[in-house]
Amino acid sequence: MPEGGIQAPPMLDAAVAFGRVLRGAGLRVGTDRIVEFARAIEEMDPARRDDVYWSGRITLTSRPEDIEVYDRAFELFWETGGGAKPKPRPKIRLSVPQPDRSVMPPKKTVEKNESGEEAVRLRYSPVEVLRRKDFALYSPEEFAELQRLLADLRLSGALRRSRRLEPAPRGRNDPRRTLRSAMRTGGEAVRHRFRKAKVQPRRVVLLCDVSGSMAPYSRALLRFLHASVVAGGRLEAFSIGTRLTRITRELTTRDPDRALRQTAGAVRDISGGTRLGDAIKEFVVRWGQRGMARGAVVVIFSDGWDRGDVSVLAEQMQRLSRLAYRIVWVNPLKATPGYKPLAAGMAAALPHVDVFLSGHNFESLEELARAVAAATERER
Amino acid sequence: MNNASGERRGALPSGVSHFRELGVRLRENDYLADEGLSTAIFLSLKLGRPLFLEGEAGVGKTEVAKVLSRILETPLIRLQCYEGIDVYQAVYEWDYARQLLHIRAAEAFGGEDRERVERDLYDREFLVSRPLLQALEHRGPMPPVLLIDEVDRSDDEFEAFLLEILSDFAVTIPELGTIMAERPPVAILTSNRTREVHDALKRRCLYHYIEHPSFEREVEIVRLRVPDAEERLARQVAAATEKMRTMDLYKPPGVAETLDWTEALVALGARELDEQLVEATLGSVLKYREDQQRAANAGLAALVSGVGGAGRDA
Ligand SMILES: Nc1ncnc2c1ncn2[C@@H]1O[C@H](COP(=O)(O)OP(=O)(O)OP(=O)(O)O)[C@@H](O)[C@H]1O
Ligand SMILES: [Mg+2]
């Protein structure tokens, strides 16, 4: 890095302003971190660019993905114009898929009843109808209703035995609790206490295709991802398009609209093309094989249209299936009568998929929740 | 009460007041840190904050703690995390066998008053301290280096507990009371990122992501760590591992593997790399069968040709 001179501004003010810029760019920078940053620069040379750069990076970032954002913001803030004047936020596209007005049905229809009076009937889908309605045909009002339905849907992985032990009526000897009970009886009647492995749900990893061809469904599916993440549990979410983006953190914000806005900000390839194979490879290499996919239930939401090389997809699906406990593929096209996996990507992936579902309506998402929670035959 | 975390005395080695001086010390102890890492370690010592180091396998995360304990001339206390680790393995455990003996003995002599037996039972002498407690109980001119290695292998519950310890540098043992550190230990946490460690824990720490070293730096590390390796061999090895890192392997070689490989080659008397030597020693740099296969398919000769540092060092 070149050594450029930076005019030393009043440090705390500058730190606060810079923190604001970073926050605008999506980093989680609390006041505590900003104070830490200001203290760090005091120990370094505030007039030297690299000292400021590293002090900030070390105190204000907390994961590798932050670094790119930090670098851009740093350049913008400290190197153009310089000093304490906060610049407008760095160029990061914030966009959210807008409701498609063309599929919005008229709010009310006016009809004449038998007695000839005009009656206004709200075309409000009763819940049972809504549960079966194709997401692509949803009106904005129905999305609001969907939100309520989703709140009751829990996505929880099949159970597995963890290595953590907990008290149990039978199992391995638990000296700690045995001793305590011995104490109570003065060491006479030693009643043995036991513990055994705690049972824990498996991690669930959701990979959601956000490319153009999935657009009619991504709005509903992202809401589903959000509801699942907010409900808590061992869950990770990623978007796939031309690249892979981890969106778990963005989705933890409780308010769905805000969460989706943040997600759209983080995902820079919404409605672009899909390079399924490459994106899944990135997942396998960067996250999956390091542990995230091991023994996990992996759910892929995609129509299987892949602009990349399908042999990459086939190979990566095989790698993934060796790591994961189960792979569920959700493809809304499957709901089409007479559907055949014609998309080359879908055909290449299917041999490695354990459960194939449509996910085009709420009922099918309930089916998905059951597939995610189910134990395999041999475990039952 | 004197809260150790409120006290922010730095723990810099004597004679070090700038990150470059620290870099020199690290080098004297066979560790090559770039500017970012030197700064991170320097600030962590100076501000008395735990340092969270993340990065691929074998990039030298664990080694940072080891080198620091040498430079600071203070003990290294290591807590290796694993799935299912809990407070009893990390902090303390009562010695049940001895406690039970104690009760039995008291019974045998008879007449002893129950309350007293019970009180004695939870005496410090029956407590076995595990790494975290050892770090808090340490007394000496310098706080110890506390290495919490591979935090990502533990679970959320344990993380929440670590967060508490790293905030207060104290633990409460119900039967004994609160034990507090005299001075916060020099804490180094490492993660391979097998999963995302919780934000709250990271926010207690300074953060640095260690990348694979640049070509020139890796050559330097090899020369430093395997002094018997000739310059030419060191450059060829570093160039070949650099290529392997772009090959999409299950386990791309880290610095650890570069060093293992060089040692294997030196042991064979190699002064220069060629295809046969690569074939004979491939297992010391690529530890998985599939990875060896992949490299072989790509052609081992390609690993030896050309020079390293493509686009990484200006
Ligand atoms: N910058 C460096 N200077 C000198 N030696 C290094 C450097 N980086 C790594 N090494 C050497 O490489 C080996 C691996 O380092 P270390 O065990 O610290 O890696 P790690 O990042 O902790 O890996 P893992 O994630 O597998 O635990 C050690 O022998 C260490 O001495
Ligand atoms: Mg290590």
Side-chain angles (χ1 to χ4, degrees):
Chain A
M1 254 161 287
E3 243 173 80
I6 289 180
Q7 268 302 321
M11 225 48 240
L12 192 59
D13 288 355
V16 170
F18 183 45
R20 211 176 302 134
V21 171
L22 288 173
R23 226 177 283 149
L27 293 199
R28 291 208 177 164
V29 181
T31 315
D32 53 336
R33 305 269 72 200
I34 293 170
V35 171
E36 197 77 349
F37 171 44
R39 292 184 55 218
I41 315 184
E42 269 171 36
E43 304 298 344
M44 305 287 290
D45 178 359
R48 195 173 160 265
R49 180 210 176 270
D50 287 2
D51 281 35
V52 180
Y53 174 85
W54 286 114
S55 305
R57 212 180 107 168
I58 290 160
T59 49
L60 301 170
T61 71
S62 62
R63 46 180 198 158
E65 289 84 352
D66 291 349
I67 295 170
E68 197 190 320
V69 180
Y70 175 84
D71 284 355
R72 253 180 301 146
F74 185 86
E75 199 178 310
L76 210 86
F77 184 83
W78 298 95
E79 292 176 329
T80 56
K85 266 176 275 122
K87 288 269 151 185
R89 38 173 76 180
K91 254 192 241 122
I92 288 174
R93 218 181 79 211
L94 287 169
S95 70
V96 113
Q98 287 304 312
D100 181 356
R101 298 280 156 194
S102 65
V103 294
M104 196 176 125
K107 268 202 192 111
K108 18 185 169 164
T109 45
V110 180
E111 286 173 1
K112 289 214 161 67
N113 61 12
E114 300 95 273
S115 50
E117 295 165 3
E118 276 190 355
V120 177
R121 207 179 74 195
L122 289 174
R123 270 194 50 190
Y124 187 74
S125 308
V127 172
E128 312 83 72
V129 177
L130 191 66
R131 285 158 52 93
R132 280 184 217 134
K133 184 163 182 171
D134 193 309
F135 290 138
L137 306 175
Y138 264 40
S139 68
E141 290 80 3
E142 286 168 330
F143 273 107
E145 186 66 16
L146 173 68
Q147 202 63 51
R148 247 157 293 168
L149 290 179
L150 288 175
D152 293 329
L153 193 59
R154 284 278 171 285
L155 204 55
S156 175
L159 296 180
R160 64 182 272 261
R161 217 173 286 243
S162 105
R163 276 186 225 160
R164 195 181 266 278
L165 301 175
E166 64 176 2
R170 266 174 299 286
R172 271 193 261 171
N173 204 355
D174 183 350
R176 190 187 343 266
R177 286 176 55 250
T178 303
L179 182 81
R180 277 184 194 273
S181 78
M183 277 297 308
R184 259 173 256 132
T185 63
E188 273 162 22
V190 177
R191 233 184 87 211
H192 282 274
R193 303 293 168 131
F194 303 95
R195 46 188 195 162
K196 66 170 208 247
K198 191 167 153 181
V199 176
Q200 210 182 28
R202 291 171 183 278
R203 192 194 320 275
V204 180
V205 181
L206 306 169
L207 304 173
C208 186
D209 183 341
V210 292
S211 63
S213 63
M214 282 288 284
Y217 295 95
S218 13
R219 202 151 30 117
L221 293 177
L222 283 172
R223 277 174 193 273
F224 170 63
L225 260 58
H226 169 253
S228 307
V229 169
V230 164
R234 306 178 74 203
L235 220 124
E236 289 283 352
F238 295 82
S239 71
I240 51 185
T242 48
R243 44 185 262 177
L244 179 88
T245 313
R246 181 169 177 272
I247 53 176
T248 319
R249 186 142 98 168
E250 283 72 15
L251 290 175
T252 50
T253 301
R254 224 147 245 293
D255 177 64
D257 296 313
R258 266 190 58 208
L260 292 187
R261 257 197 313 279
Q262 281 168 11
T263 306
V267 178
R268 263 163 283 161
D269 52 355
I270 278 194
S271 299
T274 334
R275 302 186 65 87
L276 263 183
D278 293 333
I280 292 180
K281 175 160 141 196
E282 200 180 332
F283 172 74
V284 170
V285 171
R286 284 189 44 208
W287 302 92
Q289 67 192 21
R290 293 198 189 153
M292 194 186 278
R294 280 213 182 95
V297 179
V298 177
V299 185
I300 301 171
F301 301 85
S302 170
D303 54 13
W305 288 99
D306 186 6
R307 291 214 203 136
D309 178 354
V310 276
S311 67
V312 176
L313 178 63
E315 188 191 342
Q316 296 308 319
M317 285 301 293
Q318 189 189 0
R319 267 170 108 165
L320 186 57
S321 70
R322 267 193 265 149
L323 295 167
Y325 173 74
R326 171 178 306 138
I327 298 183
V328 183
W329 193 294
V330 179
N331 181 350
L333 296 180
K334 185 172 179 261
T336 323
Y339 169 80
K340 293 225 176 53
L342 292 179
M346 198 62 250
L350 268 183
H352 309 287
V353 168
D354 301 298
V355 183
F356 188 36
L357 295 173
S358 66
H360 69 298
N361 62 14
F362 184 77
E363 241 178 32
S364 173
L365 292 182
E366 289 179 317
E367 199 185 335
L368 170 61
R370 284 192 295 275
V372 165
T376 50
E377 294 300 330
R378 70 190 144 81
E379 284 173 330
R380 269 193 291 242
Chain B
M1 219 180 340
N2 168 26
N3 187 335
S5 67
E7 196 183 330
R8 279 258 169 102
R9 251 185 308 159
L12 283 171
S14 56
V16 169
S17 61
H18 190 271
F19 78 88
R20 285 196 200 288
E21 290 162 349
L22 183 67
V24 171
R25 285 293 176 85
L26 291 167
R27 175 188 286 264
E28 284 165 3
N29 284 273
D30 289 347
Y31 191 91
L32 287 187
D34 58 19
E35 183 168 333
L37 182 56
S38 304
T39 305
I41 302 173
F42 175 80
L43 285 175
S44 149
L45 296 176
K46 183 84 200 188
L47 302 176
R49 278 278 187 196
L51 177 59
F52 196 109
L53 294 174
E54 223 167 20
E56 301 277 339
V59 291
K61 302 180 293 293
T62 302
E63 190 72 15
V64 167
K66 296 186 187 163
V67 176
L68 270 183
S69 93
R70 286 206 294 277
I71 296 179
L72 296 170
E73 298 174 42
T74 184
L76 173 69
I77 298 174
R78 176 175 187 165
L79 176 68
Q80 173 64 51
C81 299
Y82 50 89
E83 198 195 330
I85 188 172
D86 62 22
V87 174
Y88 305 111
Q89 288 129 11
V91 191
Y92 71 93
E93 174 105 280
W94 289 102
D95 187 340
Y96 304 106
R98 286 187 56 215
Q99 281 177 318
L100 211 53
L101 272 180
H102 177 80
I103 301 180
R104 294 253 158 86
E107 298 282 314
F109 290 113
E112 270 230 59
D113 103 65
R114 275 280 300 283
E115 261 173 43
R116 175 129 175 250
V117 176
E118 217 167 301
R119 235 188 359 259
D120 290 351
L121 206 51
Y122 291 104
D123 191 83
R124 180 67 186 79
E125 71 167 308
F126 290 118
L127 193 74
V128 186
S129 44
R130 305 271 194 235
L132 291 179
L133 186 58
Q134 286 164 18
L136 299 182
E137 284 189 324
H138 176 88
R139 299 291 178 259
M142 269 285 175
V145 173
L146 170 63
L147 167 62
I148 305 177
D149 215 7
E150 308 188 347
V151 189
D152 51 329
R153 305 204 181 272
S154 67
D155 57 22
D156 303 353
E157 243 170 283
F158 188 68
E159 247 175 46
F161 173 75
L162 277 181
L163 177 63
E164 250 179 75
I165 289 236
L166 293 180
S167 308
D168 305 337
F169 294 104
V171 281
T172 299
I173 300 175
E175 301 87 350
L176 277 183
T178 300
I179 296 177
M180 188 175 294
E182 219 167 45
R183 291 172 64 189
V186 174
I188 309 282
L189 290 78
T190 80
S191 155
N192 268 344
R193 257 199 142 201
T194 55
R195 94 192 148 82
E196 191 83 66
V197 170
H198 203 278
D199 248 2
L201 181 57
K202 284 180 154 182
R203 277 205 296 265
R204 286 295 318 162
C205 308
L206 301 183
Y207 176 84
H208 186 64
Y209 185 80
I210 307 188
E211 305 260 5
H212 282 128
S214 67
F215 171 72
E216 290 300 339
R217 182 163 299 272
E218 192 154 21
V219 171
E220 253 191 291
I221 296 174
V222 171
R223 307 270 350 240
L224 195 66
R225 288 274 163 138
V226 193
D228 293 341
E230 309 230 343
E231 164 96 32
R232 183 169 168 74
L233 181 67
R235 298 188 78 83
Q236 286 176 317
V237 167
T241 33
E242 191 179 49
K243 281 183 199 139
M244 288 174 181
R245 283 177 196 144
T246 64
M247 276 171 41
D248 244 352
L249 304 169
Y250 278 95
K251 189 174 184 302
V255 177
E257 284 71 26
T258 313
L259 295 177
D260 288 349
W261 194 17
T262 315
E263 270 163 8
L265 288 164
V266 169
L268 290 178
R271 313 187 59 182
E272 198 176 316
L273 203 57
D274 60 37
E275 198 180 336
Q276 283 72 40
L277 275 169
V278 174
E279 201 178 340
T281 52
L282 197 59
S284 60
V285 58
L286 300 180
K287 315 242 155 128
Y288 286 100
R289 248 204 127 59
E290 282 119 322
D291 286 349
Q292 294 167 15
Q293 199 56 52
R294 192 173 272 258
N297 291 346
L300 296 182
L303 291 174
V304 192
S305 65
V307 283
R312 300 213 46 190
D313 289 86

